Each structure stands twice: as structure tokens, then as C-alpha cells.
Amino acid sequence: MIPDLSAQAGIFGSAPSFFYTLALGLLIGSCASSTAGARFHCLLWIAVALCLELVQHRLIAEPLVAWLRERLSEPIWELVGPYWTRGTFDRLDLLASIIGGSIALLILTYRSGEKNHEK
């Protein structure tokens, strides 16, 4: 491992949230039939990514775990339960998701403008 990079674990620890939101925002947005649809779907994905991070916050996760545990069958709980029982809320992950999603929106907007100039 590169020592200088490993010393910046706080920054690089949120890289998965950044790239995950960026990549899926681009993928979902590029499947839309219009520029407005691409932006909408990308924004929707950003909201989902932010919600997935927020539900890991202790104040939300603990009651949610208790509620879900009572309502889900054992196989389903084994699939989704670890997300809330082992997940860790991180403000930097929220920021990384916002930045990744914003970059996806910019790319989708730029690409749509580029397509309009080609016509």
C-alpha cells in the first residue's frame, strides 16, 4: 500500500460512495429517453443513495432494525439485516454521494448539450 494514500483514509474511505453514486447516476441517467428524464432519474438515484446512508445513522437504524426484524421472514432478514446492523453512518459518505451525483448530473447535462449541437 502507498503510505501517503493510506494516511488519507478519511478521504479515500468514502471513495466507494463517490464512485457508486457517480457510476449508477450515469448508468441510470443514460437510459432515459430525454435530458429532463436523465436528470430526474439521476437526482432520484442521488436521493436513494443519500437515504441509504442516512438510514445507517444510529437514531434511525436501531428502531428500523427492531421494526424490520419483527416483520421480515428469516431468509429475507438474513439478506437485508446486516446492512443496518453492521452499517456505519458517515457524513463524508453523504458528501461523497452528493459530489459523485453532482458530477453525474453535470456529465449528463453536458452530453445532452453536445448531442443537441451535433444535430
Side-chain angles (χ1 to χ4, degrees), residues 24-110:
L24 282 174
L26 288 172
L27 179 67
I28 292 168
S30 66
C31 293
S33 61
S34 68
T35 302
R39 287 189 199 126
F40 172 77
H41 288 96
C42 186
L43 284 169
L44 191 60
W45 175 247
I46 296 167
V48 167
L50 294 175
C51 285
L52 287 171
E53 185 62 34
L54 286 171
V55 297
Q56 293 181 73
H57 192 283
R58 168 180 68 76
L59 295 174
I60 299 170
E62 289 173 5
L64 185 61
V65 163
W67 184 81
L68 285 173
R69 185 77 172 113
E70 293 174 5
R71 285 161 180 78
L72 297 177
S73 67
E74 190 62 31
I76 300 294
W77 173 251
E78 287 177 12
L79 180 67
V80 300
Y83 183 80
W84 287 283
T85 58
R86 294 185 213 143
T88 304
F89 171 77
D90 186 351
R91 290 176 298 192
L92 288 177
D93 286 350
L94 284 175
L95 181 61
S97 294
I98 291 169
I99 293 170
S102 297
I103 291 171
L105 277 171
L106 286 171
I107 291 170
L108 290 168
T109 300
Y110 174 76

Coordinates of all heavy atoms in Angstrom, one line a residue, residues 24-110:
L24 N -23.7 4.8 -11.0 CA -25.1 4.5 -11.1 C -25.9 5.7 -11.6 O -26.9 5.5 -12.4 CB -25.7 3.9 -9.8 CG -25.3 2.4 -9.6 CD1 -25.7 1.9 -8.3 CD2 -25.8 1.5 -10.7
G25 N -25.6 6.9 -11.2 CA -26.2 8.1 -11.7 C -26.1 8.2 -13.2 O -27.0 8.5 -13.9
L26 N -24.9 7.9 -13.7 CA -24.6 7.9 -15.1 C -25.3 6.8 -15.9 O -25.9 7.0 -16.9 CB -23.1 7.9 -15.4 CG -22.3 9.1 -15.1 CD1 -20.8 8.8 -15.2 CD2 -22.7 10.3 -16.0
L27 N -25.3 5.6 -15.3 CA -25.9 4.5 -15.9 C -27.4 4.7 -16.0 O -28.0 4.5 -17.1 CB -25.6 3.2 -15.2 CG -26.3 1.9 -15.7 CD1 -25.7 1.6 -17.1 CD2 -26.0 0.8 -14.8
I28 N -28.0 5.1 -14.9 CA -29.5 5.2 -14.9 C -29.9 6.4 -15.8 O -30.9 6.4 -16.5 CB -30.0 5.4 -13.4 CG1 -29.8 4.1 -12.7 CG2 -31.4 5.9 -13.4 CD1 -30.0 4.2 -11.2
G29 N -29.1 7.5 -15.6 CA -29.5 8.7 -16.4 C -29.3 8.5 -17.9 O -30.1 9.0 -18.7
S30 N -28.3 7.7 -18.3 CA -28.1 7.5 -19.8 C -29.2 6.6 -20.4 O -29.3 6.5 -21.6 CB -26.7 6.9 -20.0 OG -26.6 5.6 -19.4
C31 N -29.9 5.9 -19.6 CA -31.0 5.0 -20.1 C -32.3 5.8 -20.3 O -33.2 5.3 -20.9 CB -31.3 3.9 -19.1 SG -29.9 2.7 -19.0
A32 N -32.4 7.1 -19.9 CA -33.6 7.9 -20.0 C -33.7 8.3 -21.5 O -32.7 8.5 -22.2 CB -33.5 9.1 -19.1
S33 N -34.9 8.6 -21.9 CA -35.2 9.0 -23.3 C -35.0 10.5 -23.6 O -35.0 10.9 -24.7 CB -36.6 8.5 -23.7 OG -37.5 9.2 -22.9
S34 N -34.9 11.3 -22.5 CA -34.8 12.7 -22.7 C -33.8 13.3 -21.6 O -33.5 12.6 -20.7 CB -36.1 13.4 -22.5 OG -36.5 13.3 -21.1
T35 N -33.3 14.5 -21.9 CA -32.4 15.1 -21.0 C -33.1 15.4 -19.6 O -32.5 15.1 -18.6 CB -31.9 16.5 -21.5 OG1 -31.3 16.3 -22.8 CG2 -31.0 17.2 -20.6
A36 N -34.3 15.8 -19.6 CA -35.1 16.0 -18.4 C -35.2 14.7 -17.6 O -35.1 14.6 -16.4 CB -36.4 16.6 -18.7
G37 N -35.5 13.6 -18.4 CA -35.7 12.3 -17.8 C -34.3 11.8 -17.2 O -34.3 11.2 -16.1
A38 N -33.2 12.1 -17.9 CA -31.9 11.7 -17.4 C -31.6 12.4 -16.1 O -31.1 11.8 -15.1 CB -30.9 12.0 -18.4
R39 N -31.9 13.7 -16.0 CA -31.6 14.5 -14.8 C -32.5 14.0 -13.7 O -32.1 13.9 -12.5 CB -31.9 16.0 -15.1 CG -30.8 16.6 -15.9 CD -31.0 18.1 -15.9 NE -30.3 18.7 -17.0 CZ -30.8 19.4 -18.0 NH1 -32.0 19.8 -17.9 NH2 -30.0 19.9 -18.9
F40 N -33.8 13.8 -14.0 CA -34.7 13.3 -13.0 C -34.3 12.0 -12.4 O -34.2 11.8 -11.2 CB -36.1 13.1 -13.5 CG -37.1 12.5 -12.6 CD1 -37.6 13.2 -11.5 CD2 -37.4 11.2 -12.7 CE1 -38.5 12.6 -10.6 CE2 -38.3 10.5 -11.8 CZ -38.8 11.3 -10.8
H41 N -33.9 11.0 -13.2 CA -33.5 9.7 -12.8 C -32.2 9.8 -12.0 O -32.0 9.0 -11.0 CB -33.4 8.7 -13.9 CG -34.8 8.3 -14.4 ND1 -35.4 9.0 -15.5 CD2 -35.7 7.4 -14.0 CE1 -36.6 8.4 -15.7 NE2 -36.8 7.5 -14.8
C42 N -31.3 10.6 -12.4 CA -30.0 10.8 -11.7 C -30.3 11.4 -10.3 O -29.7 10.9 -9.3 CB -29.1 11.6 -12.5 SG -27.4 11.8 -11.8
L43 N -31.1 12.4 -10.3 CA -31.5 13.0 -9.0 C -32.2 12.0 -8.1 O -31.9 12.0 -6.9 CB -32.4 14.2 -9.2 CG -31.7 15.5 -9.7 CD1 -32.7 16.5 -10.1 CD2 -30.8 16.0 -8.6
L44 N -33.0 11.2 -8.7 CA -33.7 10.2 -7.9 C -32.7 9.2 -7.3 O -32.8 8.8 -6.1 CB -34.7 9.4 -8.7 CG -35.7 8.5 -8.0 CD1 -36.5 9.2 -7.0 CD2 -36.6 7.8 -9.1
W45 N -31.7 8.8 -8.1 CA -30.7 7.9 -7.6 C -29.8 8.6 -6.5 O -29.5 7.9 -5.5 CB -29.7 7.4 -8.7 CG -28.7 6.6 -8.1 CD1 -27.3 6.9 -8.0 CD2 -28.8 5.4 -7.3 NE1 -26.7 6.0 -7.3 CE2 -27.6 5.0 -6.8 CE3 -29.9 4.6 -7.0 CZ2 -27.4 3.9 -6.1 CZ3 -29.8 3.5 -6.3 CH2 -28.5 3.1 -5.8
I46 N -29.5 9.8 -6.6 CA -28.8 10.6 -5.6 C -29.6 10.5 -4.3 O -29.1 10.3 -3.2 CB -28.5 12.0 -6.0 CG1 -27.6 12.0 -7.2 CG2 -27.9 12.8 -4.8 CD1 -27.4 13.4 -7.9
A47 N -30.9 10.8 -4.4 CA -31.8 10.7 -3.2 C -31.8 9.3 -2.6 O -31.7 9.2 -1.3 CB -33.2 11.1 -3.6
V48 N -31.8 8.3 -3.4 CA -31.8 6.9 -2.8 C -30.4 6.7 -2.1 O -30.4 6.1 -1.0 CB -32.0 5.9 -4.0 CG1 -31.7 4.5 -3.5 CG2 -33.4 5.9 -4.5
A49 N -29.3 7.1 -2.8 CA -28.0 6.9 -2.2 C -27.9 7.6 -0.8 O -27.4 7.1 0.2 CB -26.9 7.3 -3.1
L50 N -28.4 8.8 -0.8 CA -28.4 9.6 0.5 C -29.3 8.9 1.6 O -28.9 8.8 2.7 CB -28.8 11.0 0.3 CG -27.9 11.9 -0.6 CD1 -28.5 13.2 -0.9 CD2 -26.5 12.0 0.0
C51 N -30.4 8.4 1.2 CA -31.3 7.8 2.1 C -30.7 6.5 2.6 O -30.8 6.2 3.8 CB -32.7 7.4 1.5 SG -33.7 8.8 1.3
L52 N -30.0 5.7 1.8 CA -29.3 4.5 2.2 C -28.2 4.8 3.2 O -28.0 4.0 4.1 CB -28.8 3.8 1.0 CG -29.8 3.1 0.1 CD1 -29.1 2.5 -1.1 CD2 -30.5 1.9 0.9
E53 N -27.6 5.9 3.1 CA -26.6 6.3 4.1 C -27.2 6.8 5.4 O -26.8 6.4 6.5 CB -25.7 7.4 3.5 CG -24.5 7.8 4.4 CD -23.6 6.6 4.7 OE1 -23.3 5.8 3.9 OE2 -23.0 6.6 5.9
L54 N -28.3 7.6 5.2 CA -29.0 8.2 6.4 C -29.6 7.1 7.3 O -29.6 7.2 8.5 CB -30.0 9.2 6.0 CG -29.5 10.5 5.5 CD1 -30.6 11.4 4.9 CD2 -28.8 11.3 6.7
V55 N -30.1 6.0 6.7 CA -30.8 5.0 7.5 C -29.8 4.2 8.3 O -30.2 3.4 9.1 CB -31.7 4.1 6.7 CG1 -32.8 4.8 6.1 CG2 -30.9 3.3 5.6
Q56 N -28.5 4.4 8.1 CA -27.5 3.8 8.9 C -27.2 4.5 10.2 O -26.5 4.0 11.0 CB -26.2 3.6 8.1 CG -26.3 2.6 6.9 CD -25.0 2.5 6.2 OE1 -24.1 1.8 6.7 NE2 -25.0 3.0 5.0
H57 N -27.7 5.7 10.3 CA -27.5 6.5 11.5 C -28.1 5.8 12.6 O -29.3 5.3 12.5 CB -28.1 7.9 11.3 CG -27.6 8.9 12.4 ND1 -28.2 8.9 13.6 CD2 -26.7 9.8 12.4 CE1 -27.6 9.8 14.4 NE2 -26.7 10.4 13.6
R58 N -27.4 5.8 13.7 CA -27.9 5.1 14.9 C -29.3 5.4 15.3 O -30.1 4.5 15.7 CB -26.9 5.4 16.1 CG -27.3 5.0 17.4 CD -26.2 5.3 18.4 NE -26.1 6.7 18.7 CZ -26.9 7.5 19.4 NH1 -27.9 7.0 19.9 NH2 -26.6 8.8 19.6
L59 N -29.7 6.7 15.2 CA -31.0 7.1 15.7 C -32.1 6.5 14.7 O -33.3 6.4 15.1 CB -31.1 8.6 15.7 CG -30.2 9.3 16.8 CD1 -30.3 10.8 16.7 CD2 -30.6 8.8 18.2
I60 N -31.8 6.2 13.5 CA -32.7 5.7 12.6 C -32.6 4.2 12.5 O -33.6 3.4 12.5 CB -32.6 6.3 11.2 CG1 -32.8 7.8 11.2 CG2 -33.5 5.6 10.1 CD1 -32.4 8.5 10.0
A61 N -31.4 3.7 12.5 CA -31.1 2.3 12.3 C -31.7 1.4 13.4 O -32.2 0.3 13.2 CB -29.6 2.0 12.1
E62 N -31.5 1.8 14.7 CA -31.9 1.0 15.8 C -33.4 0.7 15.8 O -33.8 -0.4 15.8 CB -31.4 1.6 17.1 CG -29.9 1.5 17.3 CD -29.4 2.2 18.5 OE1 -30.2 2.8 19.3 OE2 -28.2 2.2 18.7
P63 N -34.3 1.7 15.7 CA -35.7 1.4 15.6 C -36.1 0.7 14.3 O -37.0 -0.1 14.3 CB -36.4 2.8 15.7 CG -35.3 3.8 15.7 CD -34.0 3.2 15.7
L64 N -35.4 1.0 13.2 CA -35.7 0.4 12.0 C -35.4 -1.1 12.0 O -36.1 -2.0 11.5 CB -34.9 1.0 10.8 CG -35.2 0.5 9.4 CD1 -36.7 0.8 9.0 CD2 -34.3 1.2 8.4
V65 N -34.3 -1.5 12.6 CA -33.9 -2.9 12.8 C -34.9 -3.6 13.6 O -35.3 -4.7 13.2 CB -32.5 -3.0 13.5 CG1 -32.2 -4.4 14.0 CG2 -31.4 -2.6 12.5
A66 N -35.4 -3.0 14.7 CA -36.4 -3.7 15.5 C -37.7 -3.9 14.8 O -38.3 -4.9 14.8 CB -36.6 -2.9 16.8
W67 N -38.1 -2.9 14.0 CA -39.3 -2.9 13.2 C -39.2 -4.0 12.1 O -40.1 -4.8 11.9 CB -39.6 -1.6 12.7 CG -40.9 -1.5 11.9 CD1 -42.1 -1.3 12.5 CD2 -41.1 -1.5 10.5 NE1 -43.1 -1.3 11.5 CE2 -42.5 -1.4 10.3 CE3 -40.2 -1.7 9.4 CZ2 -43.0 -1.4 9.0 CZ3 -40.8 -1.7 8.2 CH2 -42.1 -1.6 7.9
L68 N -38.1 -4.0 11.4 CA -37.9 -4.9 10.3 C -37.8 -6.3 10.8 O -38.3 -7.3 10.2 CB -36.7 -4.5 9.5 CG -36.8 -3.4 8.5 CD1 -35.4 -3.0 7.9 CD2 -37.8 -3.6 7.4
R69 N -37.1 -6.5 11.9 CA -36.8 -7.9 12.4 C -38.2 -8.6 12.7 O -38.3 -9.8 12.5 CB -36.0 -7.8 13.7 CG -35.6 -9.1 14.3 CD -34.4 -9.6 13.4 NE -33.8 -10.8 14.0 CZ -33.9 -12.0 13.4 NH1 -34.5 -12.2 12.3 NH2 -33.4 -13.0 14.0
E70 N -39.1 -7.8 13.2 CA -40.4 -8.4 13.5 C -41.3 -8.7 12.3 O -42.1 -9.6 12.3 CB -41.2 -7.4 14.4 CG -40.7 -7.2 15.8 CD -41.4 -6.1 16.5 OE1 -42.5 -5.6 16.0 OE2 -41.0 -5.7 17.6
R71 N -41.0 -8.0 11.2 CA -41.9 -8.1 10.0 C -41.4 -9.0 8.9 O -42.1 -9.4 8.0 CB -42.2 -6.7 9.5 CG -43.3 -6.1 10.5 CD -43.3 -4.6 10.3 NE -44.3 -4.0 11.2 CZ -44.1 -3.8 12.5 NH1 -42.9 -4.1 13.1 NH2 -45.0 -3.2 13.2
L72 N -40.1 -9.2 8.8 CA -39.5 -9.9 7.7 C -39.3 -11.4 8.1 O -39.0 -11.7 9.2 CB -38.1 -9.3 7.3 CG -38.2 -7.9 6.8 CD1 -36.8 -7.4 6.5 CD2 -39.0 -7.7 5.6
S73 N -39.4 -12.2 7.1 CA -39.1 -13.6 7.3 C -37.6 -13.8 7.5 O -36.8 -12.9 7.1 CB -39.6 -14.4 6.1 OG -38.8 -14.1 4.9
E74 N -37.2 -14.9 8.1 CA -35.8 -15.1 8.4 C -34.9 -15.1 7.2 O -33.9 -14.4 7.3 CB -35.7 -16.5 9.1 CG -34.3 -16.7 9.7 CD -33.9 -15.7 10.8 OE1 -34.8 -15.2 11.5 OE2 -32.7 -15.4 10.9
P75 N -35.2 -15.7 6.1 CA -34.3 -15.6 4.9 C -34.2 -14.2 4.4 O -33.1 -13.8 4.0 CB -35.0 -16.5 3.8 CG -35.9 -17.4 4.6 CD -36.3 -16.6 5.8
I76 N -35.3 -13.4 4.4 CA -35.2 -12.0 3.9 C -34.4 -11.2 4.9 O -33.5 -10.4 4.5 CB -36.6 -11.4 3.8 CG1 -37.4 -12.2 2.7 CG2 -36.5 -9.9 3.4 CD1 -36.9 -12.1 1.3
W77 N -34.6 -11.4 6.2 CA -33.9 -10.7 7.2 C -32.4 -11.0 7.1 O -31.5 -10.1 7.3 CB -34.3 -11.0 8.6 CG -33.5 -10.4 9.7 CD1 -32.6 -11.0 10.5 CD2 -33.3 -9.0 9.9 NE1 -31.9 -10.1 11.3 CE2 -32.4 -8.8 10.9 CE3 -33.9 -7.9 9.4 CZ2 -32.0 -7.6 11.5 CZ3 -33.6 -6.6 9.9 CH2 -32.6 -6.5 10.9
E78 N -32.0 -12.2 6.9 CA -30.6 -12.6 6.7 C -29.9 -11.9 5.5 O -28.8 -11.6 5.5 CB -30.4 -14.1 6.6 CG -30.7 -14.8 7.9 CD -30.6 -16.3 7.7 OE1 -30.1 -16.8 6.7 OE2 -31.0 -17.0 8.7
L79 N -30.7 -11.5 4.6 CA -30.3 -10.8 3.4 C -30.1 -9.3 3.6 O -29.0 -8.8 3.3 CB -31.2 -11.1 2.2 CG -30.8 -10.4 0.9 CD1 -29.6 -11.0 0.3 CD2 -32.0 -10.5 -0.1
V80 N -31.1 -8.7 4.2 CA -31.0 -7.2 4.4 C -30.6 -6.8 5.8 O -30.2 -5.6 5.9 CB -32.4 -6.6 4.0 CG1 -32.8 -6.9 2.6 CG2 -33.5 -7.0 5.0
G81 N -30.7 -7.6 6.8 CA -30.4 -7.2 8.1 C -29.0 -6.7 8.4 O -28.8 -5.7 9.1
P82 N -28.0 -7.4 7.8 CA -26.6 -6.9 8.1 C -26.4 -5.5 7.6 O -25.5 -4.8 8.2 CB -25.8 -7.9 7.3 CG -26.6 -9.1 7.2 CD -28.0 -8.7 7.1
Y83 N -27.1 -5.0 6.6 CA -26.9 -3.6 6.2 C -27.1 -2.6 7.4 O -26.4 -1.7 7.5 CB -27.9 -3.3 5.0 CG -27.7 -1.9 4.5 CD1 -26.6 -1.6 3.6 CD2 -28.5 -0.8 4.9 CE1 -26.4 -0.3 3.1 CE2 -28.3 0.5 4.4 CZ -27.2 0.7 3.5 OH -27.0 2.0 3.1
W84 N -28.2 -2.9 8.1 CA -28.5 -1.9 9.2 C -27.8 -2.3 10.5 O -27.5 -1.5 11.3 CB -30.0 -1.8 9.5 CG -30.6 -1.1 8.4 CD1 -30.6 0.3 8.3 CD2 -31.3 -1.6 7.3 NE1 -31.3 0.6 7.1 CE2 -31.8 -0.5 6.5 CE3 -31.7 -2.8 6.9 CZ2 -32.5 -0.6 5.3 CZ3 -32.4 -3.0 5.7 CH2 -32.8 -1.9 5.0
T85 N -27.5 -3.6 10.7 CA -26.8 -4.0 12.0 C -25.3 -3.8 11.9 O -24.7 -3.5 13.0 CB -27.1 -5.5 12.3 OG1 -26.7 -6.3 11.3 CG2 -28.6 -5.7 12.6
R86 N -24.7 -3.8 10.8 CA -23.3 -3.6 10.6 C -22.9 -2.3 9.9 O -21.7 -1.9 9.9 CB -22.7 -4.8 9.9 CG -22.8 -6.1 10.6 CD -22.1 -7.2 9.9 NE -22.8 -8.4 10.1 CZ -22.9 -9.4 9.2 NH1 -22.4 -9.2 8.0 NH2 -23.6 -10.4 9.5
G87 N -23.9 -1.6 9.3 CA -23.6 -0.4 8.6 C -23.2 0.7 9.5 O -23.6 0.8 10.7
T88 N -22.4 1.6 9.0 CA -21.9 2.8 9.8 C -22.2 4.1 9.0 O -21.8 4.2 7.9 CB -20.4 2.7 10.0 OG1 -20.1 1.4 10.6 CG2 -19.9 3.8 10.9
F89 N -22.9 4.9 9.7 CA -23.2 6.2 9.1 C -21.9 7.1 9.1 O -21.1 7.1 10.0 CB -24.3 6.9 10.0 CG -24.5 8.4 9.6 CD1 -25.2 8.7 8.5 CD2 -23.9 9.4 10.3 CE1 -25.4 10.0 8.1 CE2 -24.1 10.7 10.0 CZ -24.9 11.0 8.8
D90 N -21.7 7.8 8.0 CA -20.5 8.6 7.8 C -20.9 9.8 7.0 O -21.4 9.7 5.9 CB -19.5 7.8 7.1 CG -18.1 8.5 7.0 OD1 -18.1 9.7 7.4 OD2 -17.1 7.9 6.6
R91 N -20.7 11.0 7.6 CA -21.0 12.3 6.9 C -20.2 12.4 5.7 O -20.7 13.0 4.7 CB -20.8 13.5 7.9 CG -21.8 13.5 9.0 CD -21.4 14.6 9.9 NE -20.1 14.3 10.4 CZ -19.5 14.9 11.4 NH1 -20.1 15.9 12.0 NH2 -18.3 14.6 11.9
L92 N -19.0 11.9 5.7 CA -18.2 12.0 4.5 C -18.7 11.2 3.3 O -18.6 11.5 2.2 CB -16.7 11.6 4.7 CG -15.9 12.6 5.6 CD1 -14.5 12.0 5.8 CD2 -15.8 13.9 4.9
D93 N -19.4 10.1 3.7 CA -20.1 9.3 2.6 C -21.2 10.1 2.0 O -21.5 10.0 0.8 CB -20.6 8.0 3.2 CG -19.4 7.0 3.4 OD1 -18.3 7.2 3.0 OD2 -19.7 5.9 4.1
L94 N -22.0 10.8 2.9 CA -23.0 11.7 2.4 C -22.5 12.7 1.4 O -23.0 12.9 0.3 CB -23.7 12.4 3.5 CG -24.7 11.6 4.4 CD1 -25.2 12.5 5.5 CD2 -25.9 11.1 3.6
L95 N -21.4 13.3 1.8 CA -20.7 14.3 0.9 C -20.2 13.7 -0.4 O -20.4 14.3 -1.4 CB -19.6 15.0 1.7 CG -18.8 16.1 0.9 CD1 -19.8 17.3 0.6 CD2 -17.7 16.6 1.8
A96 N -19.6 12.5 -0.2 CA -19.1 11.9 -1.4 C -20.2 11.5 -2.4 O -20.1 11.6 -3.6 CB -18.3 10.6 -1.0
S97 N -21.4 11.1 -1.8 CA -22.5 10.8 -2.7 C -23.1 12.0 -3.4 O -23.4 12.0 -4.6 CB -23.6 10.1 -1.8 OG -23.2 8.9 -1.4
I98 N -23.1 13.1 -2.7 CA -23.6 14.4 -3.3 C -22.6 14.8 -4.4 O -23.1 15.2 -5.5 CB -23.7 15.5 -2.2 CG1 -24.9 15.1 -1.3 CG2 -23.9 16.8 -2.9 CD1 -25.0 16.0 0.0
I99 N -21.3 14.7 -4.1 CA -20.3 15.1 -5.1 C -20.4 14.2 -6.4 O -20.4 14.7 -7.5 CB -18.9 15.2 -4.5 CG1 -18.9 16.4 -3.5 CG2 -17.9 15.4 -5.6 CD1 -17.6 16.4 -2.7
G100 N -20.4 12.9 -6.1 CA -20.5 11.9 -7.2 C -21.7 12.1 -8.0 O -21.7 12.1 -9.3
G101 N -22.9 12.3 -7.4 CA -24.1 12.5 -8.1 C -24.1 13.9 -8.9 O -24.7 13.9 -10.0
S102 N -23.5 14.9 -8.3 CA -23.5 16.2 -9.0 C -22.6 16.1 -10.2 O -23.0 16.7 -11.3 CB -22.9 17.2 -8.0 OG -23.7 17.4 -6.9
I103 N -21.5 15.3 -10.1 CA -20.7 15.2 -11.3 C -21.4 14.4 -12.4 O -21.4 14.7 -13.6 CB -19.4 14.5 -11.0 CG1 -18.5 15.4 -10.1 CG2 -18.6 14.0 -12.2 CD1 -17.3 14.8 -9.5
A104 N -22.2 13.4 -12.0 CA -23.0 12.6 -12.9 C -24.0 13.5 -13.6 O -24.2 13.5 -14.8 CB -23.7 11.5 -12.2
L105 N -24.7 14.4 -12.8 CA -25.6 15.4 -13.4 C -24.9 16.3 -14.4 O -25.5 16.6 -15.5 CB -26.3 16.2 -12.3 CG -27.4 15.6 -11.6 CD1 -27.8 16.4 -10.4 CD2 -28.6 15.4 -12.5
L106 N -23.7 16.8 -14.1 CA -23.0 17.7 -15.0 C -22.7 16.9 -16.3 O -22.8 17.5 -17.4 CB -21.7 18.2 -14.3 CG -21.9 19.2 -13.2 CD1 -20.6 19.5 -12.5 CD2 -22.5 20.5 -13.9
I107 N -22.2 15.7 -16.2 CA -21.9 14.9 -17.4 C -23.1 14.7 -18.2 O -23.0 14.9 -19.4 CB -21.2 13.6 -17.0 CG1 -19.8 13.9 -16.4 CG2 -21.1 12.7 -18.2 CD1 -19.1 12.7 -15.7
L108 N -24.2 14.3 -17.6 CA -25.4 14.1 -18.3 C -25.9 15.3 -19.0 O -26.4 15.3 -20.2 CB -26.5 13.5 -17.4 CG -26.3 12.1 -16.9 CD1 -27.3 11.7 -15.8 CD2 -26.4 11.1 -18.1
T109 N -25.8 16.5 -18.4 CA -26.2 17.7 -18.9 C -25.3 18.1 -20.1 O -25.7 18.5 -21.1 CB -26.2 18.8 -17.8 OG1 -27.1 18.4 -16.8 CG2 -26.6 20.2 -18.4
Y110 N -24.0 18.0 -19.9 CA -23.0 18.3 -20.9 C -23.2 17.4 -22.1 O -23.2 17.9 -23.3 CB -21.6 18.2 -20.4 CG -20.5 18.4 -21.4 CD1 -20.2 19.7 -21.9 CD2 -19.9 17.3 -22.0 CE1 -19.3 19.8 -22.9 CE2 -18.9 17.5 -22.9 CZ -18.6 18.8 -23.4 OH -17.7 18.9 -24.4

